[in-house]
Amino acid sequence: MKSIRIFTPATVANLSCGFDVLGCCLDTVGDEMLISLTSEPGIRITKIEGADLPMETDKNVAGVAVQALLLDYKKDLGVTIEIYKKIKAGSGIGSSAASSAGAVWAVNHLLGNPYTPQELVKFAMEGEKLASGNAHADNVAPALLGGFTLVRSYNPLDVIKLHSPKDLVMTVIHPQIEVKTSDSRSVIKHNVSLQQAIHQWGNVGGLVAGLFTEDYNLIGRSLEDVIIEPLRSILIPEFKNVKNAAIEKGALGCGISGSGPSIFALSKGLKIATDVAEAIRVVYAKTGLEFDIHISQINSNGVKIIEEIQ
Amino acid sequence: MKSIRIFTPATVANLSCGFDVLGCCLDTVGDEMLISLTSEPGIRITKIEGADLPMETDKNVAGVAVQALLLDYKKDLGVTIEIYKKIKAGSGIGSSAASSAGAVWAVNHLLGNPYTPQELVKFAMEGEKLASGNAHADNVAPALLGGFTLVRSYNPLDVIKLHSPKDLVMTVIHPQIEVKTSDSRSVIKHNVSLQQAIHQWGNVGGLVAGLFTEDYNLIGRSLEDVIIEPLRSILIPEFKNVKNAAIEKGALGCGISGSGPSIFALSKGLKIATDVAEAIRVVYAKTGLEFDIHISQINSNGVKIIEEIQ
């Protein structure tokens, strides 16, 4: 039996302008998983700590993602999965993606890497489909590839790794409220004005250009969402005050992480990211709501090995 | 009296996915202009060859653009402008933009460059406003900055120069038909589906990433327009056949240049671009319509000095 213990990261999807296409990978926020190849065929979830999640393989995002991989790999292998959740479910920083991506990454590693990280995305997306009904890739892609990623196209699937400037630091606040996925979806309109769409794709181009040229100012100017944020932010208490506080402290930009309720702020350097964390802590302390705050550099590798056990 | 003779380039705006925001600068297609600073205050168009355009300063795009510059510069200077048009009006490869951009670039040069190329964009946009009623920047920006440019935002104006991979070559066919601006606008819808918009901004991100990484294949995959091209291409005879012929010959992508009727194809290397030209020539030869075909490398500098006269 070969086993591997991994760190599988939290991720911030959308990044303001890049709804459904952009995402980035965090470094110090994530789950641990212990994945083993066994002689007995079948996929078994043998342990889950830190969250109340289904142990049945076909109801668990990690189980479903590994099923998709093995179906493609066409060998009747045995896999056991232990999950040590640290990312809270429903936080908006890719909790289900961390499990799906981590599981397929680890199995691929144990098999001698028959798939590229890009190829693993489609397997991990099956976990996302189970979690949210929608096989989106904007969290699993950065978890698997690391750094900043772009889902250029879903059909055919085309995932691009972007450049990750080294001084970028994320501050994330997770207000511990439940935002129902149905509510978070129902506020979004099916149609947008062409003018707003043009504005948005100008910013997507600007953000990608800013990442490649390490132009922090351009990155900041491009972190603007004229389509989704005005609608979804009403579901997040104190969103505007958090954003104002973050920008005032020098954050390059601030927006909704994924579908929320977490809010991210991207800063140049740890000092500003820490000041931002303190300022938004002050804003949220007044609400009486529980919340977590994370500060993390960008993880340019994605899933990491903690220990290999032969 | 100081004079400067310049080459001012044609440009291809939109580049499929980047409606209203992306553009690139051609190298061997463009106008010439002779611009002089004179002792007698006022802006005078003294000669126009190659086109039937207004000589009155405030009815001529070059005159209006220079007016905007001098208004900002706050000195009562004298400028004379001679225009030698080679780009046909209404072709969709930035004929008015070449005149506006060339004029302000030359005056700025004669004044010792008080403005950056980025700052000149807003003056040249006044010429575009006169020409089409809409102060768009996606032709004047690449004419002034060279290479590939992104208009990240119109308000405030934020123009970014992108990287220009050296092997890219444009083939442009200009069918000599008149497409009324009003028709070309009326086919565009004011609203788009969010799904299409997401598809489009995925491609904008992919194209920008492809340019910076010189990933020609990614550039090709990203040259896709799911919003405007399906509507506007009906106004361009043989559009689909031209596109199919170009792609078959190995072009990375093919689409409408600006608002048409010109069609561009972007290829890797002169050989493919020349094959593409021949293939689309065959398509158009059957129509009985008159047409021009241009082949040009990307001009990474924009407006160029031909001669300085002291």
Side-chain angles (χ1 to χ4, degrees):
Chain A
M1 192 173 86
K2 284 195 297 185
S3 301
I4 185 173
R5 186 181 300 278
I6 58 162
F7 167 82
T8 184
T11 44
V12 173
N14 297 345
L15 295 169
S16 296
C17 54
F19 182 68
D20 264 8
V21 304
L22 291 174
C24 86
C25 186
L26 301 187
D27 200 33
T28 53
V29 191
D31 298 339
E32 285 187 25
M33 299 178 86
L34 178 69
I35 314 276
S36 308
L37 288 188
T38 65
S39 52
E40 187 186 348
I43 303 160
R44 277 167 293 276
I45 319 284
T46 51
K47 194 172 186 183
I48 300 178
E49 276 187 19
D52 185 22
L53 294 169
M55 301 288 283
E56 298 95 318
T57 301
D58 55 3
K59 291 181 182 167
N60 182 295
V61 299
V64 166
V66 173
Q67 269 176 341
L69 185 153
L70 292 186
L71 190 68
D72 187 87
Y73 193 61
K74 294 186 178 63
K75 282 201 184 156
D76 204 12
L77 299 170
V79 175
T80 64
I81 301 171
E82 295 182 13
I83 306 173
Y84 301 85
K85 285 305 284 182
K86 291 178 185 173
I87 311 170
K88 289 180 181 129
S91 55
I93 53 170
S95 180
S96 59
S99 298
S100 307
V104 295
W105 191 94
V107 170
N108 186 53
H109 181 85
L110 292 170
L111 294 175
N113 295 312
Y115 299 104
T116 65
Q118 264 93 347
E119 288 169 338
L120 294 176
V121 171
K122 64 178 180 292
F123 305 133
M125 283 167 71
E126 292 300 313
E128 292 295 72
K129 194 172 170 186
L130 177 69
S132 71
N134 176 16
H136 63 102
D138 47 352
N139 288 104
V140 293
L144 286 164
L145 278 66
F148 287 82
T149 57
L150 168 77
V151 185
R152 186 197 63 80
S153 160
Y154 275 86
N155 186 19
L157 185 64
D158 190 5
V159 176
I160 316 294
K161 184 165 180 173
L162 307 173
H163 180 70
S164 183
K166 67 177 181 3
D167 290 345
L168 288 176
V169 184
M170 274 288 182
T171 308
V172 177
I173 178 165
H174 171 213
Q176 290 179 29
I177 56 168
E178 190 188 350
V179 176
K180 282 191 186 161
T181 306
S182 57
D183 289 340
S184 147
R185 280 198 195 160
S186 64
V187 295
I188 293 181
K189 301 200 170 106
H190 292 296
N191 286 293
V192 298
S193 78
L194 180 59
Q195 282 311 311
Q196 284 181 316
I198 292 166
H199 198 117
Q200 197 91 344
W201 65 59
N203 279 320
V204 169
L207 183 50
V208 173
L211 291 172
F212 277 106
T213 56
E214 303 204 352
D215 182 336
Y216 293 90
N217 202 307
L218 173 56
I219 291 167
R221 299 199 302 279
S222 306
L223 286 170
E224 180 191 27
D225 174 2
V226 297
I227 293 179
I228 308 297
E229 182 179 296
L231 303 171
R232 268 197 177 157
S233 59
I234 60 168
L235 296 169
I236 303 172
E238 300 294 325
F239 178 81
K240 276 190 187 162
N241 289 332
V242 166
K243 185 165 180 167
N244 290 343
I247 300 295
E248 195 177 293
K249 286 291 171 184
L252 299 168
C254 177
I256 302 169
S257 176
S259 59
S262 285
I263 305 168
F264 78 92
L266 194 59
S267 302
K268 183 179 180 186
L270 194 59
K271 167 74 172 72
I272 295 173
T274 308
D275 290 349
V276 166
E278 193 44 44
I280 63 184
R281 184 187 304 278
V282 169
V283 172
Y284 250 81
K286 292 175 191 161
T287 63
L289 294 168
E290 296 209 5
F291 60 94
D292 294 319
I293 293 184
H294 307 288
I295 298 173
S296 172
Q297 291 190 295
I298 307 305
N299 164 358
S300 59
N301 298 309
V303 181
K304 292 179 197 178
I305 299 169
I306 298 172
E307 188 185 10
E308 295 201 68
I309 306 152
Q310 291 295 330
Chain B
M1 193 173 86
K2 284 194 297 186
S3 299
I4 184 171
R5 186 181 301 277
I6 58 163
F7 166 83
T8 183
T11 44
V12 172
N14 297 347
L15 296 169
S16 297
C17 55
F19 182 69
D20 265 9
V21 305
L22 291 174
C24 86
C25 186
L26 301 186
D27 201 33
T28 53
V29 191
D31 299 337
E32 285 187 24
M33 299 177 86
L34 178 69
I35 313 276
S36 308
L37 288 187
T38 65
S39 53
E40 188 187 345
I43 302 160
R44 277 167 293 275
I45 319 283
T46 53
K47 194 174 187 180
I48 300 177
E49 276 187 21
D52 185 21
L53 295 169
M55 301 288 281
E56 299 94 318
T57 301
D58 54 3
K59 291 181 182 168
N60 182 294
V61 300
V64 165
V66 173
Q67 270 176 342
L69 186 154
L70 292 186
L71 190 69
D72 187 87
Y73 194 61
K74 295 189 177 65
K75 283 201 182 154
D76 204 11
L77 300 169
V79 174
T80 65
I81 301 171
E82 295 182 13
I83 306 174
Y84 302 84
K85 285 306 284 182
K86 292 178 184 172
I87 311 170
K88 290 181 180 128
S91 55
I93 52 168
S95 181
S96 59
S99 298
S100 307
V104 296
W105 190 95
V107 170
N108 186 53
H109 181 85
L110 292 169
L111 293 175
N113 296 313
Y115 299 103
T116 65
Q118 263 92 347
E119 288 169 337
L120 294 175
V121 172
K122 65 177 179 293
F123 305 133
M125 283 168 71
E126 292 299 313
E128 293 293 73
K129 193 173 171 185
L130 177 69
S132 71
N134 177 14
H136 63 103
D138 47 352
N139 288 106
V140 294
L144 286 165
L145 277 67
F148 288 81
T149 55
L150 168 77
V151 185
R152 186 197 63 80
S153 160
Y154 275 86
N155 186 18
L157 184 65
D158 190 5
V159 176
I160 315 295
K161 184 165 181 173
L162 307 173
H163 181 70
S164 183
K166 68 179 179 1
D167 290 346
L168 289 176
V169 184
M170 274 286 183
T171 308
V172 178
I173 178 164
H174 171 213
Q176 289 178 32
I177 57 168
E178 190 189 348
V179 176
K180 282 191 187 163
T181 307
S182 57
D183 289 340
S184 147
R185 280 199 196 159
S186 65
V187 295
I188 293 180
K189 302 201 169 109
H190 292 296
N191 287 293
V192 299
S193 78
L194 181 58
Q195 281 311 312
Q196 286 181 316
I198 292 166
H199 198 118
Q200 198 90 344
W201 64 60
N203 279 320
V204 170
L207 183 50
V208 173
L211 291 171
F212 277 107
T213 56
E214 302 203 353
D215 181 336
Y216 292 90
N217 202 309
L218 174 57
I219 291 168
R221 300 199 301 281
S222 306
L223 285 170
E224 182 193 26
D225 175 2
V226 298
I227 293 179
I228 307 297
E229 184 179 295
L231 303 171
R232 269 198 177 157
S233 58
I234 61 168
L235 297 169
I236 304 172
E238 300 294 325
F239 178 80
K240 277 191 187 163
N241 289 331
V242 166
K243 184 165 179 166
N244 290 342
I247 299 296
E248 195 176 291
K249 287 290 172 186
L252 300 168
C254 177
I256 304 169
S257 177
S259 58
S262 284
I263 304 169
F264 79 92
L266 194 59
S267 301
K268 183 179 180 186
L270 194 57
K271 167 75 172 70
I272 295 174
T274 308
D275 291 349
V276 167
E278 193 45 42
I280 64 183
R281 184 188 305 279
V282 170
V283 172
Y284 249 79
K286 294 174 190 162
T287 63
L289 294 168
E290 296 209 4
F291 60 94
D292 294 320
I293 293 184
H294 308 288
I295 298 174
S296 172
Q297 293 189 294
I298 307 305
N299 165 357
S300 58
N301 297 309
V303 182
K304 291 179 195 177
I305 298 168
I306 299 172
E307 188 185 9
E308 295 201 69
I309 306 151
Q310 291 295 329

